[in-house]
Amino acid sequence: MNSCNGNCNTCNTDCNRKCPVCHANSTKVDEQTVKSMLIDKSLVITGDTYICLNRKCEVIYFDSKLAYLKEDVRKPIWFKEDITNMLVCYCYDIRLNDIIDVVKKTGITSKEEIIKYLGKEKMHKNCLLENPIGKDCEQLFLNAIEYAKGE
């Protein structure tokens, strides 16, 4: 495993992989996550895969040989979408507008209570396969609640 040398310009570690199209920063994503997000399940993942963090770039995932675009994934990527249509929680299919509505109508400000209010508590939670970065949406959900409070 490479350790950080403090100079990102000459670094080639996982934290400094750049998108092959826009050259923006990226973050490594589990192969299972990428496979679950791709529409065409026959596409071959060739090694470590990353997600482009540039909201304006059409590239979603890339590896050493291929780039996968918006039309290659089955769900919209939250930070690459218009804020009004932004998916916050992929497992429970909750959008920012849903959270804003609940906070405004009820004053509820906890993730668990919002999920319950929306009647989605019985849905299956599997962040690794449902969230495009393969991680829990906890911080994004909390940010959405704070945003909703300010609306």
Side-chain angles (χ1 to χ4, degrees):
M1 179 163 182
N2 295 334
S3 61
C4 182
N5 65 11
N7 185 352
C8 294
N9 293 326
T10 61
C11 182
N12 195 24
T13 61
D14 286 344
C15 67
N16 196 41
R17 290 290 157 96
K18 304 290 185 196
C19 172
V21 173
C22 72
H23 308 292
N25 289 335
S26 66
T27 190
K28 190 174 181 179
V29 180
D30 189 282
E31 183 177 327
Q32 283 183 280
T33 302
V34 177
K35 283 183 177 181
S36 75
M37 292 298 292
L38 293 175
I39 293 169
D40 183 351
K41 301 299 181 197
S42 69
L43 292 174
V44 178
I45 310 296
T46 57
D48 292 341
T49 308
Y50 302 84
I51 188 167
C52 174
L53 299 176
N54 178 354
R55 70 179 294 111
K56 295 180 181 178
C57 184
E58 289 293 313
V59 171
I60 303 299
Y61 299 112
F62 64 92
D63 58 27
S64 61
K65 296 181 180 173
L66 298 170
Y68 308 97
L69 308 177
K70 284 183 176 184
E71 63 262 17
D72 296 323
V73 294
R74 64 183 176 87
K75 291 185 178 182
I77 309 304
W78 65 269
F79 61 89
K80 294 193 181 233
E81 295 299 316
D82 181 314
I83 194 165
T84 59
N85 193 34
M86 187 172 97
L87 257 169
V88 173
C89 180
Y90 285 79
C91 295
Y92 297 112
D93 193 32
I94 299 174
R95 298 181 182 278
L96 178 60
N97 285 340
D98 298 327
I99 296 170
I100 292 170
D101 288 345
V102 172
V103 170
K104 282 184 171 185
K105 287 178 185 174
T106 68
I108 295 172
T109 58
S110 82
K111 178 181 177 181
E112 294 75 20
E113 289 299 313
I114 290 172
I115 291 170
K116 187 175 179 180
Y117 180 85
L118 293 170
K120 300 196 178 209
E121 70 273 6
K122 293 186 180 178
M123 293 178 77
H124 179 69
K125 181 178 178 186
N126 189 343
C127 301
L128 178 67
L129 300 180
E130 295 298 326
N131 190 312
I133 58 172
K135 297 183 175 142
D136 187 276
C137 68
E138 190 67 30
Q139 189 58 54
L140 182 59
F141 210 106
L142 293 174
N143 290 348
I145 292 169
E146 288 304 311
Y147 180 83
K149 287 184 198 176
E151 279 287 296

